Amino acid sequence: MTDDKTRREQSGRGRSVYRWLYAGLLAILLILGGTMLGRMDAVDRLFGVAQEPGEARLADEKAAKARETFQETVAKLGADGVALSSLSIPTGADGYFTPPHESEMPAKQDGESIRRGREIFLNPGANATAYTGNSLACANCHLDAGRRANSAPMWAAAGLYPKYRGKNDQINTMEDRINGCFTYSMNARQSPSGGPPPTGDQIYKDLEAYFHWLATGAPNRTKLPGQGFPTLDEPADGYDRTRGQQVFAERCAVCHGTDGEGRQDINGRYAFPPLWGPDSYNWGAGMHRVNTAAGFIYANMPLGQPFSLTPQEAWDVAAYVNSHERPSDPRQPAEGLSVAEADAQYHQHKGFYGDSIDGTVVGAGIDADPTDTPSATGIVVPEQ
């Protein structure tokens, strides 16, 4: 009897030890398995959201390594035995120039200016309020804070100025170019100040500091792959706003609204910009040209689905968007021109300015009514 009881007790203790061993082993396997799943992007792949195999992660790592190698070489310049030929241009897996990461922004005064420039770029309505007459941001057309290739990235533009521009028939500095963006894309004529920032304003300095920093490592006076927007040949069938209306309804309205009025968040800030109407770019902005808008749309829209439209669809939807009324070309009232006169002098390109659309001549413009767009970060331009 006693022997049976002893054996049962020993057997129970043995089973208890095995249960603990099994539990410990299972815990170790779960930890290892979870780590492997995370490292292998298995969860993402399970739900079909990862790029195979870890494509995005590998691209980021390659870009980071390229910039690390570049910085190491820069640090050695001037030392004995180091030649400029050893300095490589930092590029990513896509073959485009890789601008520095935000974490690489310098400290002290120059870094502060770069950061202010970035905030102005992302939210001019809050950080350059006096000079914006609509609810757009620079980053609406220059995507990813001016970093994305084929979206007129600022790292490609920074090294090209001063340069001649046919729009005003003169050599332009980068400040001149930014002034034009405020004048036309940001509709500065209807801003609280009635115009763009004055010459030499801190806004220009901060934006130029940001652009110059983005171009760290890029060759100067060189047209880089991915600069500007792609140039699309006009399709054999031309461009048609009626076809474009269908494309817009199917692929664009979900973000920009059925009437092109954009989508606002709960704070009243535009999450997706208006494409026509009083809060959009005016008739003097480069984006109102059908061919310019078609190149941007083809390479970048719908957002997150670049090159998903055909060139024909891009031309057609650009025609539809740019056949709607918007704020006037500031040169027209400033010079006392009629729409027809302004059309003949400034609008001999692919567009609808001065044309009759649905029985109404477009181009006279509509007054802007800027929406108060609160800053995402609170960083503002300092007092002069």
Side-chain angles (χ1 to χ4, degrees):
M1 188 76 171
T2 302
D3 291 342
D4 289 342
K5 182 179 179 181
T6 301
R7 281 196 297 271
R8 284 196 299 272
E9 290 175 351
Q10 290 175 343
S11 177
R13 285 195 296 269
R15 285 195 297 272
S16 177
V17 170
Y18 281 122
R19 280 197 295 270
W20 280 107
L21 287 173
Y22 290 145
L25 181 59
L26 179 60
I28 293 171
L29 289 174
L30 287 173
I31 292 171
L32 291 174
T35 302
M36 290 302 295
L37 283 173
R39 292 179 61 85
M40 295 171 63
D41 299 326
V43 174
D44 284 346
R45 288 203 294 276
L46 178 63
F47 291 98
V49 297
Q51 299 182 41
E52 296 287 345
E55 193 174 306
R57 177 173 55 81
L58 292 174
D60 288 344
E61 289 176 356
K62 181 174 181 180
K65 183 61 178 177
R67 290 217 61 83
E68 181 183 339
T69 301
F70 171 77
Q71 294 294 349
E72 290 173 354
T73 307
V74 168
K76 296 176 183 177
L77 287 176
D80 292 339
V82 177
L84 286 174
S85 59
S86 65
L87 185 61
S88 60
I89 299 172
T91 55
D94 55 8
Y96 294 120
F97 173 78
T98 300
H101 189 268
E102 186 178 351
S103 63
E104 297 177 47
M105 285 185 184
K108 299 184 179 179
Q109 285 81 3
D110 50 350
E112 292 172 3
S113 181
I114 292 168
R115 289 180 180 85
R116 288 196 304 266
R118 184 176 185 273
E119 294 306 315
I120 297 168
F121 196 84
L122 292 173
N123 197 345
N127 297 311
T129 311
Y131 310 108
T132 56
N134 59 25
S135 297
L136 300 186
C138 312
N140 290 146
C141 294
H142 310 275
L143 301 182
D144 191 19
R147 302 171 64 90
R148 184 175 299 179
N150 297 312
S151 182
M154 305 320 300
W155 46 259
L160 294 178
Y161 287 85
K163 66 176 289 188
Y164 172 80
R165 292 192 74 217
K167 185 167 186 173
N168 57 10
D169 192 27
Q170 65 184 36
I171 297 295
N172 284 221
T173 63
M174 179 56 80
E175 180 173 315
D176 295 329
R177 186 66 181 87
I178 298 170
N179 177 287
C181 289
F182 273 98
T183 300
Y184 300 109
S185 297
M186 310 308 298
N187 195 34
R189 185 177 75 85
Q190 294 178 314
S191 69
S193 71
T199 301
D201 193 272
Q202 184 68 38
I203 288 173
Y204 295 123
K205 297 175 183 178
D206 290 339
L207 285 170
E208 289 187 72
Y210 177 55
F211 301 164
H212 182 72
W213 173 77
L214 282 176
T216 302
N220 196 29
R221 309 300 302 170
T222 301
K223 291 185 177 182
L224 297 172
Q227 77 165 54
F229 308 132
T231 300
L232 293 181
D233 292 333
E234 184 175 343
D237 288 341
Y239 50 90
D240 184 272
R241 61 184 299 270
T242 301
R243 290 195 304 255
Q245 183 176 15
Q246 183 66 30
V247 177
F248 185 89
E250 294 174 355
R251 305 296 300 277
C252 312
V254 65
C255 291
H256 296 285
T258 55
D259 294 323
E261 73 275 20
R263 302 283 191 191
Q264 293 172 281
D265 63 18
I266 60 174
N267 296 312
R269 182 178 55 212
Y270 277 102
F272 298 98
L275 302 180
W276 61 81
D279 278 341
S280 192
Y281 51 88
N282 66 37
W283 279 111
M287 193 60 80
H288 95 280
R289 301 185 181 201
V290 174
N291 55 310
T292 301
F296 169 77
I297 291 167
Y298 177 65
N300 298 285
M301 295 290 126
L303 191 64
Q305 301 175 54
F307 302 104
S308 62
L309 298 178
T310 67
Q312 181 70 70
E313 289 173 325
W315 273 87
D316 289 342
V317 77
Y320 176 67
V321 167
N322 284 325
S323 63
H324 289 82
E325 192 63 276
R326 56 190 65 256
S328 64
D329 182 338
R331 295 168 294 191
Q332 180 210 337
E335 299 175 23
L337 303 174
S338 67
V339 171
E341 289 170 333
D343 186 19
Q345 186 165 343
Y346 295 117
H347 294 271
Q348 297 306 298
H349 46 248
K350 297 185 184 301
F352 291 91
Y353 185 90
D355 291 357
S356 178
I357 303 295
D358 298 330
T360 302
V361 174
V362 296
I366 46 181
D367 289 338
D369 181 20
T371 300
D372 182 19
T373 54
S375 173
T377 63
I379 297 176
V380 296
V381 178
E383 295 294 330
Q384 300 287 311

